[in-house]
Amino acid sequence: MTASPTDIDLLLEARWVVPVEPHAVVLDEHAVAVHRGEIVAILPIAEARALYAPRERVELPEHALIPGLINAHTHNPMTLLRGLADDLPLMTWLREHIWPAEGRVMGPDFIRDGVELAVAEMIRGGTTCANENYFFPDVIAATYRAMGFRAVIGLPVIDFPTAWAKTSDEYFSRALEVHDSLRGEPLLTTAFVPHAPYTVSDENFERIRVLADQLDIPIHLHTHETAHEVEEAVEKDGIRPFQRLQKLGIVNDRLVAVHMTQLTDAEIAACAKAGVSVVHCPESNLKLASGFCPAEKLRAAGVNVCIGTDGCASNNDLDMFGEMRTAALLAKAVAGDAAAFDAAYALRAATLNGARAIGLGERVGSIEVGKRADLVAVRLDALETQPLYHVASQLVYATGRHQVSDVWIDGRRKLADGDLVDIDTAAIRAKARAWRERIAAGDAA
């Protein structure tokens, strides 16, 4: 007697499934079975049809099904500052334009509207998780929750007053309040986000180290972003920022170090030994002329390298497909090796490596049984992606984010054949234009 098919919520039948783990594998004509937001099976389509009775079946005959992309470093409220101050060096851009603009508009409404715009852009581009780094994390968290988007909510610490907090004690007390409020949230976790070594004191770093250990959360910060940053630190402290972080006990497997364009071989070896994750933000670094992260050296040393866009004020988009391509190409040029940072590794850096960096490697980042169903379907039948010889190469070197057709987060459909689900794009566009008028008027004043 033949057993009756098992009831499940969702069956995705794809021309190709790219699970990322195992590495560099592509499965032809496979299906992914999903129930209650969890991946329960990955198997050939014919077998899946015999074994499962899905409430919904989605056929993806010209598509690659990949894990949702993970933006491992971003400042998503800053979508509302996109294009405000282009073609300027980092410190001029930051001190003379971005910080003053933020000072004029920073508040809950700005934060909420910026995150809404960012989430819509990210979903349309196949990103299903963001490692967030900005002020008003309570508002950020509420916005991500309302939109059903997975995120790590940064708990900011910086040595000067902002609209979010005025003193060190207030930064820490508010951080702990936000962390406690998010316990048990299915899509939201937290990380400490001290801004950078040059804006955070030794005392605050020591407090962060102790609390991060107690709460079991990552520490996510910009470091070694430019040569100027390193030179200033040596002049002021007598040691490089990375050495200072080592002395303070920050260099460990909780550290998510962003940018890292200025590294010695000894620092790379120390990152590998300590289990540090490095977030490569190639387009932001190129645009601000910050320098080149030695991504291939880091990869070869065994460091967990992941990819982020940075914020829209310095990129100017949240396009992880573009970022993957730029990361792979730039790594080859920097290493002087055409085989460096190959396509399969670039895809891994944009998915599983990012998940591992932010403490979510057991939940997302690859298509594996038992993981949450954060999944993205990418059409590969466009003229721009024909002919197709190698799926991973096509995804990294030839595919644009406009080819993303469908997105699921935790098993819930967020993009259906290119259309956002339950997101009011007209309202988001109207709010973005209203902020443009307000910010532009203030910038001209």
Side-chain angles (χ1 to χ4, degrees), residues 87-116:
D87 306 319
L88 296 166
L90 174 64
M91 296 319 294
T92 303
W93 170 83
L94 200 57
R95 289 172 174 158
E96 297 180 22
H97 297 273
I98 298 304
W99 283 348
E102 288 176 323
R104 291 194 300 271
V105 298
M106 182 80 71
D109 291 346
F110 174 83
I111 301 297
R112 182 197 63 241
D113 294 349
V115 172
E116 286 181 357

Side-chain angles (χ1 to χ4, degrees), residues 67-98:
L69 302 175
I70 294 175
N71 190 340
H73 175 69
T74 188
H75 312 280
N76 277 332
M78 297 180 83
T79 49
L80 295 175
L81 301 177
R82 190 193 324 258
L84 177 68
D86 286 340
D87 306 319
L88 296 166
L90 174 64
M91 296 319 294
T92 303
W93 170 83
L94 200 57
R95 289 172 174 158
E96 297 180 22
H97 297 273
I98 298 304

